[in-house]
Amino acid sequence: MILSPFEWTIAKRYMLPGRGEAFIALVAGISFVAVTLGVAALVIVMSVMNGFRAELLEKIVGLNGHAIIQAYGGRLDDWQDILKKVEATPGVTRASPLIEQPLLATFNGRVEAILVRGNTKPDLKRLSEKVVAGNFASLTENSGNVAIGSRLAENLGVRIGDTITIINPAGRSTPFGTVPRQVGYTVSAIFEIGVYDYDNAYVVMPIPDAQTLLLTGDTIGMIEVTTTNADTAMQTMAPIKQALAGRAVVTDWKTMNASLFEALAVERVAMFVVLSIIVLVAVFNILSSLIMLVRAKTRDIAILRTMGATRRSLLKIFVTIGFVIGACGTLGGLILGFVFLFFRQPVVHAVEYLTGQNLWDPSIRFLTDLPSRSDPVEITVICIMALVLSFLATLYPALKAASTDPVQVLRYE
């Protein structure tokens, strides 16, 4: 919709009302602020939701792979042959043997439930990127060294060089019953994955040390698999699942975390719908401000009509006024939203300081920091929705202005 110089001049004049029309300008300003806040709220919430899902998926998949092969009974005896078959499967990029067992750890009278995790050397090397203290290089076979999560270290009061005792209930048999196996390990590294449950429970060691602790011999508990595409992991693992039917179960990351990611998906949709109502309310402000402007300018509109202005010109003028308010509000909302996202962590800390409340408890939110990841497609949809609603809000006042009868208005002037 291209405006002529005359139409654009009138539109600019009406977008900047005079002193006697301050109330109309106030309503138009409120409309601009409302659209800005609505768009900003949508951008912020959807980006945080996307970031939360992406960060959670990245950390969960980064530690556990895209799929897990777990034997019935918890022991995979012929795991070397199975590992070769998995590695030869098209679409599989990495397969690693893994041991994971819930046990107890004690230090200075403190007791915590832990997950002992036995990893291969390549997996330990990948995990070493998350180290916050100590050195993963000392985690060698039969060294008696382990790495533990940062939250677990805090709960136990452990520092680098301290010795923790890991208790395995499946110990040795004696005439008085089974005596739990207690083995001391030196903490040589502390890591932080960024997922609270992992940092609060994991104790990592080489696979041979885990086999010795658990008295499992040359067996493992599971094989973690990484594929070329996380979303099609089960399709990739279908041949392996069929070959191991009755011996082991194949589970992908979607199944293992189904309730969590389904809840996130539902919440994303619900938040988008609820926050879209804010934008809808904002465009109603545009509608009301244009209706007030049309009523205030009825005499001017009648004079313009008698001077030769067409209904089409008046329609374009008032549509432009409302659409410009919506477009400026949308642009302002994008800027405000991205500024907030850039400074999101200081904002969270500031609100926590002012309210005295912990807004981001890692034990509840899983992640240690507030994440953010903006999706260009979603941002585009938000902008288009705001602009379309702003345009639709201008139609009724513009049609009302265009249908003004100059004879009826000017009859008694």
Side-chain angles (χ1 to χ4, degrees):
M1 185 173 63
I2 301 175
L3 274 68
S4 66
F6 158 72
E7 294 165 347
W8 182 240
T9 300
I10 299 298
K12 286 193 295 183
R13 172 65 182 83
Y14 285 173
M15 278 189 282
L16 300 171
R19 292 183 180 179
E21 300 158 347
F23 184 71
I24 297 175
L26 176 62
V27 174
I30 293 174
S31 304
F32 166 77
V33 172
V35 173
T36 298
L37 294 178
V39 171
L42 270 172
V43 170
I44 292 168
V45 170
M46 297 311 295
S47 296
V48 169
M49 294 290 291
N50 288 336
F52 189 85
R53 183 184 185 279
E55 285 289 317
L56 198 59
L57 173 60
E58 181 181 336
K59 292 181 184 299
I60 289 176
V61 169
L63 189 65
N64 292 327
H66 298 158
I68 293 289
I69 302 172
Q70 188 166 14
Y72 292 114
R75 291 193 178 187
L76 211 56
D77 296 323
D78 54 344
W79 61 272
Q80 292 92 343
D81 295 334
I82 297 174
L83 185 64
K84 291 179 181 178
K85 291 179 182 178
V86 174
E87 290 175 336
T89 302
V92 173
T93 58
R94 185 179 62 85
S96 299
L98 177 67
I99 294 176
E100 194 170 284
Q101 183 70 30
L103 297 176
L104 291 175
T106 67
F107 178 76
N108 283 347
R110 298 183 182 181
V111 181
E112 290 288 338
I114 63 170
L115 276 174
V116 169
R117 186 180 176 95
N119 281 122
T120 60
K121 288 183 179 179
D123 290 336
L124 290 174
K125 187 176 181 180
R126 287 192 305 113
L127 193 58
S128 65
E129 299 173 358
K130 306 295 184 180
V131 69
V132 294
N135 188 358
F136 264 77
S138 59
L139 265 70
T140 56
E141 184 178 344
N142 299 322
S143 64
N145 295 327
V146 296
I148 69 174
S150 58
R151 299 283 177 176
L152 179 60
E154 291 177 8
N155 293 339
L156 287 173
V158 171
R159 295 177 295 180
I160 298 298
D162 290 338
T163 300
I164 63 172
T165 301
I166 297 180
I167 303 173
N168 179 12
R172 64 182 186 276
S173 298
T174 70
F176 303 100
T178 301
V179 178
R181 181 176 174 80
Q182 300 185 37
V183 182
Y185 291 94
T186 302
V187 176
S188 63
I190 297 174
F191 60 85
E192 185 169 311
I193 302 297
V195 179
Y196 180 85
D197 288 351
Y198 295 165
D199 296 333
N200 193 49
Y202 273 118
V203 174
V204 177
M205 62 181 66
I207 279 186
D209 290 8
Q211 291 172 333
T212 302
L213 172 65
L214 299 173
L215 303 174
T216 59
D218 189 23
T219 64
I220 62 170
M222 59 190 74
I223 296 175
E224 69 170 24
V225 182
T226 303
T227 62
T228 53
N229 188 342
D231 292 324
T232 59
M234 280 308 292
Q235 289 88 325
T236 302
M237 296 299 295
I240 299 298
K241 183 177 181 180
Q242 186 176 2
L244 296 178
R247 299 168 55 199
V249 59
V250 179
T251 310
D252 69 341
W253 64 270
K254 293 180 182 178
T255 304
M256 289 186 286
N257 305 280
S259 58
L260 175 60
F261 285 99
E262 285 177 7
L264 285 176
V266 172
E267 191 172 353
R268 277 181 76 246
V269 175
M271 293 301 292
F272 184 86
V273 172
V274 171
L275 293 174
S276 296
I277 296 175
I278 298 178
V279 180
L280 185 61
V281 172
V283 300
F284 274 112
N285 285 334
I286 296 177
L287 174 65
S288 61
S289 65
L290 283 181
I291 290 175
M292 293 174 62
L293 182 62
V294 170
R295 288 184 64 85
K297 298 296 183 181
T298 300
R299 183 173 178 276
D300 293 357
I301 293 170
I303 294 173
L304 289 173
R305 291 282 286 119
T306 59
M307 295 176 63
T310 64
R311 295 178 185 272
R312 180 181 177 83
S313 293
L314 293 172
L315 183 68
K316 289 163 65 177
I317 289 170
F318 284 94
V319 166
T320 299
I321 295 170
F323 187 77
V324 167
I325 294 174
C328 291
T330 301
L331 179 61
L334 287 177
I335 295 173
L336 178 62
F338 286 126
V339 169
F340 185 94
L341 290 173
F342 185 79
F343 295 104
R344 63 188 182 279
Q345 212 58 45
V347 170
V348 171
H349 294 324
V351 175
E352 288 178 339
Y353 177 77
L354 292 174
T355 61
Q357 299 294 322
N358 187 359
L359 300 181
W360 193 261
D361 186 354
S363 63
I364 299 174
R365 310 292 184 183
F366 296 99
L367 302 179
T368 53
D369 294 321
L370 179 66
S372 171
R373 183 168 298 185
S374 299
D375 184 355
V377 175
E378 280 188 352
I379 299 299
T380 303
V381 170
I382 292 170
C383 293
I384 291 175
M385 180 190 69
L387 293 175
V388 169
L389 290 176
S390 299
F391 173 76
L392 293 177
T394 66
L395 292 181
Y396 174 75
L399 290 171
K400 194 72 175 175
S403 62
T404 300
D405 184 357
V407 175
Q408 293 294 330
V409 175
L410 300 175
R411 173 177 296 176
Y412 301 105
E413 291 292 334

